[in-house]
Amino acid sequence: MAAAPSPPPTNRVDAFWHDGMLNHDTGRGVFDTGSDPGFLDVLEKHPENPDRVRNMVSILKRGPISPYISWHTATPALVSQLLSFHSPEYINELVEADKNGGKVLCFGTFLNPGSWDAALLAAGNTLSAMKHILDGKGKIAYALVRPPGHHAQPSQADGYCFLNNAGLAVRLALDSGCKRVVVVDIDVHYGNGTAEGFYQSNDVLTISLHMNHGSWGPSHPQSGSVDELGEGEGYGYNMNIPLPNGSGDRGYKYAMTELVVPAVESFKPEMVVLVVGQDSSAFDPNGRQCLTMDGYRVIGQTIRSLADRHSGGRILIVQEGGYHVTYSAYCLHATLEGILDLPDPLLGDPIAYYPEDEAFPVKVVDSIKKYLVDKVPFFKEH
Ligand SMILES: [Zn+2]
């Protein structure tokens, strides 16, 4: 008789992925404009293209972290599942846009043939990743998805995003009995859609570390500034940490230690959601924050230790931006090394060579902390 198969190791990442997400074709042009001015010989792919995610899949399958990754796939989300976060009118707009062959929903955000099916797969894989954790089948799940989601608001597409994958997963956790969920968003842009979805809730603490980019037009009215604290019962439960350009590994580490850790310690979440975008890396065409693999590794370790203390180690990781086609994959690898709390780096950084200076980000983080201690009751306890 064959021996029973040994159970998979607990310290692993359950990755959720489906090839169909590669069918969202965002086209070519001048960066993310989708347009050809007529006087350039060579246009480039839209930054949110399949190649970036292909490399994320391949580095996890063939890189040194591969023994720690277990692969899963899921079916598309049902339209009815989307209504936990999005308005029916908005979902109808997307369905109609797909039926009509596509639509430019806002700047840089193209719903083309194939895009809607990919968006439903992204939502479906993120929901399944969360359900996997909620069902006790694994503690750490990673939704490797595109199109991204954290700018998608309840009733508005924005910034390459159609459906708020992380927001849908948070709703599922709440509806399944989780009392408190924290979302820590380290994509270089403000996670405005997720923040808006839970702006009046005190059962979801949304924290976003981002560059100080402000609003970028009618689809993105929120600026990501420190005084957007939430409303009603949700007052104090949206924490924006706009960091100066070039904050770097040490600036981010200081922000995590001084702001994110104390807030999460006070909040005591039953579920931790880490929203990752490698567009906060030093080489990203869409970001100015200068993180390297070391910085992502430290963020991963910090999140793991918070989860071990509060959520029984339960962490959902949701993929957002990250537009450097090769370095994004390396930074993802480092983030997951940190999440796994591995004692030594598995993979060296091939291109981190710029000096950094944390003096300015430290000053900014100190001033944000002073502001929050004044304004936010639950933060004052620290
Ligand atoms: Zn981003």
Side-chain angles (χ1 to χ4, degrees):
M1 207 170 106
S6 51
T10 317
N11 195 26
R12 67 173 194 278
V13 175
D14 288 310
F16 283 74
W17 163 251
H18 190 297
D19 280 349
M21 288 184 274
L22 299 173
N23 297 334
H24 171 44
D25 180 358
T26 41
R28 300 175 78 86
V30 176
F31 197 55
D32 61 0
T33 62
S35 65
D36 175 357
F39 46 69
L40 295 176
D41 273 352
V42 182
L43 297 174
E44 64 191 312
K45 286 183 182 173
H46 187 290
E48 206 291 278
N49 60 62
D51 293 350
R52 51 183 283 274
V53 174
R54 255 188 210 119
N55 272 346
M56 293 176 191
V57 173
S58 63
I59 204 166
L60 299 190
K61 288 199 166 167
R62 305 205 301 276
I65 205 168
S66 59
Y68 296 91
I69 311 290
S70 165
W71 290 90
H72 306 262
T73 195
T75 50
L78 304 171
V79 163
S80 58
Q81 292 177 291
L82 308 177
L83 303 179
S84 67
F85 188 90
H86 294 289
S87 69
E89 296 77 18
Y90 173 57
I91 296 302
N92 283 342
E93 180 191 358
L94 296 175
V95 169
E96 285 303 310
D98 178 54
K99 272 191 200 150
N100 295 331
K103 185 175 180 180
V104 181
L105 286 152
C106 57
F107 180 81
T109 309
F110 306 99
L111 193 128
N112 288 329
S115 301
W116 181 232
D117 288 344
L120 291 172
L121 276 171
N125 275 271
T126 311
L127 285 165
S128 290
M130 177 59 97
K131 187 162 187 326
H132 190 79
I133 301 173
L134 292 167
D135 290 348
K137 293 179 180 165
K139 291 202 168 191
I140 305 170
Y142 169 43
L144 206 186
V145 295
R146 77 179 280 270
H150 73 151
H151 299 307
Q153 300 141 47
S155 299
Q156 170 72 55
D158 180 31
Y160 317 161
C161 301
F162 307 99
L163 300 174
N164 197 307
N165 304 311
L168 290 163
V170 170
R171 274 274 161 238
L172 177 64
L174 296 172
D175 293 345
S176 305
C178 266
K179 291 196 173 57
R180 287 176 307 283
V181 181
V182 68
V183 179
V184 180
D185 185 330
I186 60 160
D187 183 283
V188 82
H189 304 103
Y190 177 32
N192 60 309
T194 324
E196 187 177 321
F198 302 105
Y199 210 60
Q200 294 173 339
S201 314
N202 59 6
D203 46 9
V204 182
L205 170 62
T206 43
I207 302 176
S208 177
L209 300 98
H210 44 263
M211 64 180 180
N212 209 352
H213 53 70
S215 168
W216 53 52
S219 70
H220 191 103
Q222 308 89 343
S223 72
S225 62
V226 71
D227 58 352
E228 293 166 36
L229 288 165
E231 284 171 357
E233 284 189 343
Y235 180 85
Y237 294 89
N238 185 59
M239 180 184 286
N240 287 344
I241 308 177
L243 293 168
N245 288 358
S247 281
D249 293 345
R250 294 195 295 272
Y252 266 70
K253 184 178 181 183
Y254 192 69
M256 291 295 290
T257 309
E258 294 297 312
L259 297 171
V260 178
V261 169
V264 177
E265 295 285 4
S266 273
F267 185 64
K268 300 182 175 49
E270 294 181 358
M271 179 69 73
V272 173
V273 177
L274 174 64
V275 172
V276 295
Q278 298 79 16
D279 48 8
S280 36
S281 90
F283 300 94
D284 199 275
N286 253 332
R288 301 288 177 269
Q289 287 306 48
C290 298
L291 279 170
T292 73
M293 288 175 72
D294 281 347
Y296 284 107
R297 209 174 270 114
V298 168
I299 291 171
Q301 284 162 345
T302 308
I303 293 294
R304 171 66 180 267
S305 116
L306 286 169
D308 282 348
R309 284 203 295 285
H310 294 290
S311 63
R314 300 193 301 175
I315 308 170
L316 173 70
I317 305 154
V318 182
Q319 182 62 44
E320 299 288 349
Y323 305 104
H324 191 293
V325 171
T326 53
Y327 197 52
S328 295
Y330 276 75
C331 293
L332 167 66
H333 196 288
T335 308
L336 296 187
E337 287 173 41
I339 287 283
L340 288 162
D341 200 22
L342 302 179
D344 298 303
L346 292 178
L347 186 62
D349 195 317
I351 54 175
Y353 42 67
Y354 288 127
E356 57 173 70
D357 177 358
E358 72 269 38
F360 187 37
V362 162
K363 261 190 208 161
V364 171
V365 168
D366 286 344
S367 70
I368 294 175
K369 186 167 187 177
K370 191 167 175 298
Y371 177 84
L372 292 175
V373 166
D374 275 354
K375 293 274 184 186
V376 177
F378 90 91
F379 199 76
K380 212 171 284 183
E381 293 158 22
H382 276 268

